[in-house]
Amino acid sequence: MRILLAGDWHGNREWAETAFAAAADAGCTDVLQLGDFGLWPGREDAWLDHVDYLARRSKTHLTWIDGNHEHHDVLDEWRVEQDDNGLVAMRNHVSWATRGARWTWGGRRFGALGGAVSFDRFLRREGANWWAQEAVTQADVDRLGDGRLDVLATHAAPTTRVVPTTRLPYPEDVIRDALAVRDLIDQAVDRTRPDLIVHGHFHTRWTYRFAAHRVEGLAHDKSKSGGALAVLTTDDLQLADIPGGPAEPT
C-alpha cells in the first residue's frame, strides 16, 4: 500500500490540488495530512467540500490530523461523531483522525496525536485565530494508550536537538508549554514504541533518530525547496520524497 504523506497545508487550495495530483500519479490510495490542515473560521464547509472533491477526483481518501492552527471550537463539535477508532467522517472522502485515533493501513498499525503550541500565540486573539485546545494534553496521550504502533502521526515532534530559529522573542509561557507538549509526545512514543514517527509543524524536511525510532518531518505548502510531500510504502515503511515545491508563492 502506498500513502501520500503531506506536511502543513494552511488551507492552501492550490497546494492541496498539487498534493492530490501527486498522490494519483504515485498510485496512492490514501493521503495522510500532518496538521495545520486549514480548518479556519468562516470557511470550514468550503474547504472540506474542496478537498473532498479533490480526493474523489484523484480516487483517494484523505485522513488528516489537527495542528495548532485549526478552528478547535468547531472540532470540539465534530468530535462527538467519531467512530470506535477515533476517526470522524467529515465528508465522503475526508476523515479527521482525532487525538488518540488508531487504524490499520496495509497491515500496519497507525496512530494519531495531533496538536501543538503556536509560538506566535501572543500575537493572536483567542477565539478568533488561536484556541487553547491546540496543545496536546495528558488525556490525549492516555487516549492513544499503550498498544504498539508501527507509525505514529503527530503535528509537533518528539524531543530533538534540532531547534527551529526565529526572530520572534518567545515569551516564557510559550516556551514552557511547547516543551510540555514535546514531553507528552515523548511519553506517547515510549508507550506505543512506533518504528516510524511522521510530523509537520516545523516547516522543514528532516530525518533523524529519537531513541530507537526513526522520525521524518515534512515541510509545508510554501516550501520552495520541496520536502512537503512523500510517499510512504507500508511494506517497508520507507519514504520516497516527491521533489519540487510550488511554482509560485501562494
Side-chain angles (χ1 to χ4, degrees):
M1 184 174 177
R2 294 162 65 81
I3 300 158
L4 185 83
L5 299 181
D8 302 19
W9 281 359
H10 300 125
N12 187 327
R13 294 170 72 94
E14 292 78 13
W15 183 245
E17 187 166 0
T18 296
F20 281 107
D25 289 345
C28 297
T29 57
D30 289 85
V31 176
L32 177 58
Q33 199 279 328
L34 299 172
D36 281 7
F37 171 58
L39 197 76
W40 294 339
R43 53 168 292 175
E44 298 92 342
D45 285 337
W47 174 237
L48 288 169
D49 289 344
H50 179 64
V51 295
D52 183 60
Y53 163 74
L54 295 174
R56 175 170 53 84
R57 188 177 69 175
S58 63
K59 296 181 172 58
T60 62
H61 188 95
L62 170 67
T63 301
W64 66 281
I65 68 173
D66 56 286
N68 45 307
H69 297 313
E70 318 285 1
H71 191 178
H72 287 281
D73 287 345
V74 164
L75 288 181
D76 285 346
E77 297 172 5
W78 273 101
R79 189 172 284 105
V80 299
E81 303 293 335
Q82 65 184 289
D83 63 18
D84 292 342
N85 295 320
L87 299 172
V88 176
M90 304 185 89
R91 293 292 189 273
N92 288 336
H93 302 86
V94 180
S95 297
W96 169 38
T98 65
R99 301 176 196 179
R102 286 173 171 264
W103 69 98
T104 301
W105 275 336
R108 295 290 192 173
R109 299 158 296 186
F110 283 73
L113 189 61
V117 168
S118 296
F119 289 99
D120 63 348
R121 73 186 185 193
F122 60 97
L123 302 175
R124 296 174 176 267
R125 184 160 58 91
E126 186 168 4
N129 55 11
W130 176 78
W131 291 266
Q133 304 101 299
E134 67 175 15
V136 183
T137 68
Q138 183 65 58
D140 296 332
V141 177
D142 292 342
R143 196 174 302 111
L144 183 65
D146 300 319
R148 184 157 189 182
L149 295 171
D150 296 297
V151 181
L152 175 62
T154 65
H155 184 57
T159 300
T160 169
R161 65 179 182 275
V162 181
V163 179
T165 59
T166 180
R167 295 181 180 180
L168 286 176
Y170 294 150
E172 289 186 4
D173 64 311
V174 172
I175 295 172
R176 178 200 65 218
D177 291 349
L179 291 175
V181 164
R182 289 286 188 91
D183 289 343
L184 287 168
I185 293 176
D186 289 357
Q187 181 192 140
V189 171
D190 287 342
R191 291 172 65 173
T192 61
R193 308 175 302 285
D195 295 312
L196 174 64
I197 303 156
V198 292
H199 70 84
H201 190 46
F202 293 106
H203 300 177
T204 302
R205 179 69 178 99
W206 55 31
T207 301
Y208 59 96
R209 303 292 300 186
F210 172 65
H213 316 282
R214 188 172 106 250
V215 186
E216 302 275 2
L218 275 290
H220 66 140
D221 59 303
K222 294 182 175 64
S223 176
K224 298 293 287 182
S225 60
L229 301 172
V231 175
L232 170 66
T233 307
T234 55
D235 61 351
D236 58 7
L237 296 183
Q238 294 303 305
L239 270 65
D241 282 25
I242 295 176
E248 299 292 339
T250 56

